[in-house]
Amino acid sequence: MFDAEQVSLAEDVLARCRAGGLRLVTAESCTGGLIGGCLTAIAGSSDVFDRGYVTYSNTAKTAMLAVPADLLRRLGAVSEPVAIAMAEGALAASGADLAVAVTGISGPGGGSAARPVGLVHFAASRRAAASLHERHVFAGDRHAVRMQTVTAVLRLLSRVSAEAADPACTLGRRSGIGAYSCAARRSNALTIRCTASLNSRPISFCNVFERNSKSM
């Protein structure tokens, strides 16, 4: 079901989390559990993978992850603030150390000019650190969008888990009460946006760099 790159990335994520003593939780909407499925396809993943939330409906996002209903009404489920709220909610509900969340439009319907089919928002959160956000627009049919999302999330997790154990990297480090520093090294990520947040409310924002996801 998962290709060789996805399996390799999942193994890398688990190894990095294991080395750093990190427990992992996922919060998925458009992928419907595929990210958790890929991670738990690896033998021995139970010492890292804590749990996975599949919150396909807005009601589930609010009930399971404490995503504010007003946020969903105002901005829609496929948005940066909702992705961040999902990740932070999963972190709070699980007691894990690292959370990743995805929300997007897999198609074939449901897209618009502002939010096309293939648009996916990602967020990663870890304790005492800023939440990170990525925005991707993937090409292809429903299956292709979902599988590209799995690959991109695993790349994000690999980077974040490595940075969590790297004292020289300041990405997402808390720099004071209610504030965060934000610095990043270039990687193969398509679009990286670092959002410092407190209780799911953005307090600072920076674009690090962008690259067209269709070039991959």
Side-chain angles (χ1 to χ4, degrees):
M1 181 177 183
F2 301 105
D3 64 28
E5 181 185 10
Q6 290 167 333
V7 171
S8 178
L9 284 167
E11 290 174 337
D12 180 68
V13 168
L14 293 170
R16 290 178 188 274
C17 287
R18 190 174 291 117
L22 302 174
R23 296 284 288 173
L24 175 63
V25 60
T26 58
E28 304 181 55
S29 184
C30 60
T31 47
L34 288 171
I35 299 164
C38 187
L39 288 164
T40 56
I42 308 301
S45 57
S46 61
D47 63 346
V48 170
F49 190 82
D50 181 72
R51 69 191 73 180
Y53 296 96
V54 178
T55 55
Y56 213 71
S57 69
N58 286 354
T59 300
K61 290 176 179 66
T62 298
M64 299 178 72
L65 303 175
V67 177
D70 177 64
L71 191 68
L72 290 160
R73 283 193 298 269
R74 288 188 295 107
L75 301 178
V78 184
S79 62
E80 175 185 342
V82 167
I84 291 171
M86 288 172 64
E88 293 181 351
L91 199 65
S94 66
D97 306 293
L98 174 61
V100 68
V102 295
T103 178
I105 304 170
S106 300
S112 66
R115 296 179 183 180
V117 169
L119 172 64
V120 184
H121 287 275
F122 302 67
S125 295
R126 55 188 177 90
R127 300 197 179 278
S131 291
L132 308 183
H133 168 256
E134 293 186 9
R135 177 187 183 275
H136 297 245
V137 180
F138 297 115
D141 61 14
R142 182 178 181 84
H143 176 74
V145 169
R146 282 155 55 94
M147 296 311 287
Q148 288 175 88
T149 298
V150 172
T151 301
V153 166
L154 291 172
R155 288 175 181 161
L156 172 63
L157 279 173
S158 180
R159 188 174 69 252
V160 172
S161 58
E163 287 160 351
D166 182 358
C169 180
T170 61
L171 180 60
R173 292 281 167 76
R174 186 187 292 270
S175 61
I177 297 175
Y180 297 91
S181 62
C182 182
R185 295 171 296 202
R186 288 182 180 268
S187 71
N188 291 327
L190 308 176
T191 303
I192 298 179
R193 295 182 177 183
C194 303
T195 305
S197 61
L198 187 62
N199 297 326
S200 301
R201 298 180 61 185
I203 55 177
S204 67
F205 177 82
C206 69
N207 284 323
V208 179
F209 69 94
E210 296 191 7
R211 182 162 62 85
N212 186 349
S213 63
K214 293 183 180 180
S215 66
M216 290 193 64

